[in-house]
Amino acid sequence: MAAAVPVGQAAGHPTAVGQATGHPTAVGQAAEHPSAVGRARAAAARDSWAEAYVLLAEADRHPSEALTAGDLDLLADAAWWTGHVDESVAARLRAHAGYVAAGDHRGAGAVAWWLHFEYRCLGRPAAAAGWLHRSRHHLEHVPDCPEQCFLAWTDAEEAQEHRDPAAALAAARRMTRIAAASGDPGLVALSRQAQAAVLLAEGRRAEGMALLDDAMVAVLAGELSGMFTGWLFCLALTQCMEAADLARAVEWTDAAMTWCEAPWSQHVRPAEPRQAGPGTADTAIDSAGEAGDAGTAGASPSVADNPFRGLCRIHHVEVLDLLGAWTLAEDEAGRVCGEVMADSLDVAAEAYYEAGEIRRRQGRIDAAALSYAHAHELGRVPQPGLALLRLAQGKADAAVTGLRLALACHSDPRHDLLGRARLLAAQAEVALAVGDVAGAETAVVELEGLAGAGGTPLLAAMADTARGALALARREPALVPLRRALAGWLELRVPYEAAQVRMLLAAADRSAGDEEAARLELAAARAVFERLGALPDARRAAALLAGRRRHALPGGLTAREAEVLRLVAAGAKNRDIAQALVISEHTVARHLNNIFAKLDVTSRTAASAYAYAHDLIPAPAST
């Protein structure tokens, strides 16, 4: 799943408190000043930040007159938009001093709030806390004004962090009241988004999504400034993915990328190279040398004048991944690392993780491991992907441990429902692979609870898939949940997961004595895997499809490995197999690793399906 966008980072930096809210620092003074500064103000008013930056930076280096506090504030905005993060902070510090000298508490309070968020995004929490305190000090005795919307928003976020939903909702509603009084459409839309965030976190999905839809109408209708448009796109896309609302994520991601790819002004001095990860875009996602020049391929003419491109593109990567457009998704992940700024390392980390997921499923094991390592280096716990990679490598203990720790750290699903659901689905798969049926049951039950609470088709399909796999491992009726899962994935147009379910269905059909249905499912799964480039899965489907009775053991299995596989298919755990064959559990584990490697499978369920398909054991009674 994608990383949440820090509010200060996504904000486009605060023309909201100046230009957008009618504060005297606004840029509408251009007519009185036909100078370079006046032209810069006019450029900013039409969101031509690159042009504004060039004009203001030059005026600051060679002043005919000193820049005002408002001009410095504007220079900070323009510097942020064009990728000059350090210059943005430096200019905003000077702007704050200017507002204080002029006794302008609204201006000083607004700039202090933005410094709080800039320092927070740059990983300096102490400085961030100090500037937030100073912002409150400046604005505490000022009557309600637009600048206080942002303090109310901060109050809502802090209350959520302290698990005080009543206080969070009260703060969000205060923000809405102040925004409505200001008459600014951007603040009104943002306040609705803030309320939606609180409601969604409390499981009030219908109310929260209704408010989010309301806010997004203003975005899609083009009613807002560039700053508010980018801000709301980033926040809404994050919330949709975390809430597992794939339909909204697809719709809004498409709209966001259309907006992001529109050409903006080219009059800009190039920003310093954006080191968003362990290397540049050319060496980061493509460090394994397999994907080409993904960091620059198809790039828009300028990425320095719209920092929202990378922040929105990571959600585009997630959507493309689910929809099976893996080549494009991997290319887009490379572009993310070339577009995000130094204060967006969490976004770059998510890009590495998504690239790792694609590479793992395509069987590019070394490249996947490297991508996960880069994601971890940037602070993203690379789970559940890394656990599934370890399982494929025969390192089941590492897979079990990694998922257990990840779930312990991700104990509150309210802020990322899809993230926890993915961890639980992987835990169920790994538990079945190691014969821990009870552990799989625990994971499936919680996953079903999340699906019931979340109320989205994506979560329902995940829960049905896990329940079907568990039933198959128990040799219980599995056709109903698996067919329901397949219908869900097909409706969502998520091809890889649908093909995986078809593999399980083939085993269930064969167990029920329906050989024709099993062959149809395997053929359909194989075609999808081949189209996606999921070669290990394609080879497994092909082997099962071609399976037939023969004297030699299939898959190059030894006689002992066949004995172990028969017991696995019967539901025996490692300890039971060791006792039955009078060998050690360590030897059983070694045999299982060899079996998985020879059959190109990663779970006991898949190995059992192979055994049934190749007549290694008699088929169980019809379900």
Side-chain angles (χ1 to χ4, degrees), residues 102 105 188 196 218 249 256-257 261 284 321 360 388 442 464 470 493 506 531 537 549 559 576 588:
H105 288 288
V188 170
M257 294 316 301
E261 296 297 351
D321 180 20
R360 172 180 61 80
L388 296 175
T442 299
D464 287 333
L470 178 61
R493 295 181 298 167
R531 176 174 61 81
D537 292 300
R549 189 185 304 274
D576 302 325
V588 172

Side-chain angles (χ1 to χ4, degrees), residues 565-610:
L565 180 55
R566 291 186 185 102
L567 291 169
V568 167
K573 297 181 180 180
N574 286 13
R575 181 182 305 169
D576 302 325
I577 297 171
Q579 292 175 350
L581 300 180
V582 195
I583 57 178
S584 69
E585 288 188 49
H586 175 76
T587 301
V588 172
R590 179 168 53 81
H591 283 315
L592 280 174
N593 286 341
N594 291 337
I595 291 168
F596 283 10
K598 289 181 178 181
L599 305 186
D600 204 9
V601 300
T602 59
S603 70
R604 286 176 179 250
T605 300
S608 299
Y610 186 98

Side-chain angles (χ1 to χ4, degrees), residues 18 195 411 620 622:
Q195 278 197 69
S411 57
S622 174

Side-chain angles (χ1 to χ4, degrees), residues 257-273:
M257 294 316 301
T258 298
W259 175 75
C260 284
E261 296 297 351
W264 290 37
S265 172
Q266 302 298 301
H267 302 291
V268 57
R269 174 171 66 83
E272 63 276 5

Side-chain angles (χ1 to χ4, degrees), residues 254-595:
D254 288 344
M257 294 316 301
T258 298
W259 175 75
C260 284
E261 296 297 351
W264 290 37
S265 172
Q266 302 298 301
H267 302 291
V268 57
R269 174 171 66 83
E272 63 276 5
R274 295 180 178 181
Q275 297 294 334
T280 65
D282 291 341
T283 59
I285 295 299
D286 298 320
S287 53
E290 298 185 11
D293 189 9
T296 58
S300 52
S302 170
V303 297
D305 61 349
N306 187 351
F308 290 110
R309 285 196 179 103
L311 304 179
C312 291
R313 197 180 305 281
I314 187 58
H315 301 294
H316 193 218
V317 173
E318 293 176 303
V319 168
L320 291 171
D321 180 20
L322 282 168
L323 298 182
W326 288 356
T327 299
L328 180 56
E330 191 172 5
D331 287 347
E332 289 284 87
R335 295 179 71 184
V336 169
C337 289
E339 291 173 344
V340 297
M341 295 187 296
D343 60 355
S344 307
L345 295 185
D346 55 336
V347 180
E350 195 65 29
Y352 282 112
Y353 179 78
E354 290 295 332
E357 287 289 85
I358 294 168
R359 292 169 170 182
R360 172 180 61 80
R361 288 171 294 182
Q362 290 182 330
R364 297 152 60 193
I365 301 300
D366 292 341
L370 188 58
S371 293
Y372 291 143
H374 285 330
H376 183 268
E377 182 180 345
L378 294 175
R380 205 284 193 196
V381 176
Q383 298 291 6
L386 183 59
L388 296 175
L389 179 68
R390 296 299 179 230
L391 186 64
Q393 294 173 319
K395 302 175 182 178
D397 289 344
V400 171
T401 301
L403 285 173
R404 176 173 53 80
L405 294 176
L407 280 162
C409 295
H410 196 290
S411 57
D412 185 358
R414 294 179 304 169
H415 300 297
D416 187 1
L417 191 62
L418 181 57
R420 185 161 183 86
R422 283 172 161 162
L423 289 171
L424 290 168
Q427 186 182 47
E429 180 178 343
V430 171
L432 289 176
V434 300
D436 182 9
V437 177
E441 170 71 23
T442 299
V444 171
V445 168
E446 184 180 347
L447 181 56
E448 289 173 331
L450 294 183
T456 70
L458 180 58
L459 291 175
M462 294 175 71
D464 287 333
T465 300
R467 174 56 68 183
L470 178 61
L472 192 63
R474 287 174 165 172
R475 306 180 74 180
E476 298 174 349
L479 288 174
V480 171
L482 288 175
R483 285 174 177 162
R484 192 167 56 230
L486 178 60
W489 291 120
L490 291 176
E491 183 177 356
L492 289 167
R493 295 181 298 167
V494 178
Y496 180 76
E497 299 295 345
Q500 290 281 26
V501 172
R502 288 190 186 278
M503 297 292 285
L504 296 172
L505 268 171
D509 287 332
R510 190 177 184 100
S511 296
D514 192 343
E515 296 287 344
E516 180 64 21
R519 285 194 294 272
L520 289 172
E521 297 294 2
L522 289 171
R526 178 185 180 183
V528 171
F529 290 142
E530 288 178 343
R531 176 174 61 81
L532 294 174
L535 298 183
D537 292 300
R539 287 193 295 267
R540 180 163 59 95
L544 289 170
L545 193 60
R548 57 185 178 271
R549 189 185 304 274
R550 52 193 172 192
H551 295 295
L553 290 171
L557 296 175
T558 66
R560 176 63 87 182
E561 288 166 352
E563 288 182 289
V564 171
L565 180 55
R566 291 186 185 102
L567 291 169
V568 167
K573 297 181 180 180
N574 286 13
R575 181 182 305 169
D576 302 325
I577 297 171
Q579 292 175 350
L581 300 180
V582 195
I583 57 178
S584 69
E585 288 188 49
H586 175 76
T587 301
V588 172
R590 179 168 53 81
H591 283 315
L592 280 174
N593 286 341
N594 291 337
I595 291 168

